Amino acid sequence: MTLAETAYDALRQDIVRGILAPGKPLRMAQLSERYGMGFSPLREALNRLQAERLVTSIALRGFSVAPLSMAEMWDTINTRILIEQRALRLAIELGGDDWEAGIVSALHGLTLQSARAAAGNADEQKLLEDRHHGFHLALIAGCGSGWLLEFFQRLYVEAERYRYPMLQYRNAEHHRDIQAEHAALSQATLARDADVACELLAEHYLRTARFIEAQMAAPPQVQTA
């Protein structure tokens, strides 16, 4: 990768994971020291992230991490549903044997990794997140539209900014069997039942959105001595 691509990947990962907090000013000198590279690749990366709405820029004040808001979260989720339902319908119509095999493989890998990540190891958790992304991409990989796939990637990253901080509350979702949701979505897709698959996809994302909304609206917990 070029230095600009390396800077882009590093910055995007730190923004999604909240290491660079929403609203945080992105000073070039500090970024240069943090990532060990010059201003030019960092500026190129920041401009790219601004185009993806992960970074904002104000004249004379420079770059900062884009803020989070409940309205933005719902806009992201609803647009993601719109895009992915269209892509899923096309994939069900056009996808072949390789597409089906990709879904089976992705679900299997995700299920295995979910059990491994239960112990809380950071590396296993990172691999789980990678396989979660891989599964949702596999569902629509046969859609035949580069634009839909590009929009999927951008919306997935934006949604992760809201989902990732909520992972610490995973146990609060004890009533929800997420892997069963993935399995049902996979089954309906492989059965080529577009209506059911799209309904399951939407409900899968809406459940996550409602959980995030509840956590964002909850008052901060006060630690007692």
Side-chain angles (χ1 to χ4, degrees), residues 1-223:
M1 293 193 297
T2 66
L3 280 177
E5 289 171 333
T6 301
Y8 166 79
D9 285 345
L11 280 162
R12 186 174 72 161
Q13 179 172 295
D14 284 350
I15 290 171
V16 169
R17 280 160 172 68
I19 296 171
L20 296 175
K24 178 181 176 60
L26 299 171
R27 311 297 187 197
M28 296 301 295
Q30 294 174 351
L31 295 179
S32 179
E33 181 178 356
R34 176 179 177 83
Y35 298 108
M37 58 184 67
F39 287 7
S40 181
L42 287 168
R43 188 173 290 107
E44 184 176 338
L46 289 169
N47 284 324
R48 183 175 172 186
L49 290 165
Q50 182 183 9
E52 296 179 3
R53 300 175 65 178
L54 296 176
V55 163
T56 61
S57 177
I58 300 177
L60 304 179
R61 295 180 62 181
F63 294 99
S64 62
V65 179
L68 299 179
S69 74
M70 209 169 288
E72 183 73 18
M73 185 273 290
W74 276 110
D75 189 24
T76 299
I77 295 299
N78 288 328
T79 305
R80 187 179 178 191
I81 290 171
L82 183 69
I83 292 295
E84 290 188 42
Q85 282 186 329
R86 176 57 179 161
L88 185 57
R89 286 186 181 277
L90 284 172
I92 288 172
E93 177 184 349
L94 302 174
D97 292 345
D98 290 344
W99 168 70
E100 290 189 359
I103 295 173
V104 173
S105 176
L107 178 63
H108 179 67
L110 177 58
T111 302
L112 290 178
Q113 191 57 36
S114 180
R116 293 173 185 150
N121 180 279
D123 291 337
E124 296 291 357
Q125 185 64 44
K126 173 62 169 61
L127 185 54
L128 175 62
E129 295 308 310
D130 290 343
R131 291 192 176 180
H132 181 259
H133 170 266
F135 170 72
H136 282 283
L137 177 58
L139 290 173
I140 63 172
C143 71
S145 170
W147 278 113
L148 288 175
L149 293 174
E150 181 175 337
F151 288 138
F152 160 81
Q153 297 288 11
R154 292 178 60 173
L155 290 164
Y156 187 94
V157 170
E158 180 63 26
E160 285 297 277
R161 293 190 67 206
Y162 292 88
R163 194 179 74 89
Y164 193 84
M166 299 302 135
L167 294 180
Q168 61 182 307
Y169 303 110
R170 187 184 297 276
N171 290 337
E173 286 194 289
H174 58 86
H175 61 283
R176 183 180 177 193
D177 190 341
I178 296 178
Q179 294 312 313
E181 292 177 25
H182 288 146
L185 178 54
S186 174
Q187 183 177 7
T189 300
L190 293 173
R192 309 275 177 161
D193 191 331
D195 290 340
V196 171
C198 286
E199 181 179 352
L200 290 173
L201 180 73
E203 184 56 30
H204 181 64
Y205 290 157
L206 290 172
R207 285 178 179 173
T208 298
R210 289 191 289 264
F211 177 73
I212 292 171
E213 181 179 53
Q215 295 300 328
M216 289 178 69
Q221 295 182 355
V222 178
Q223 294 184 351

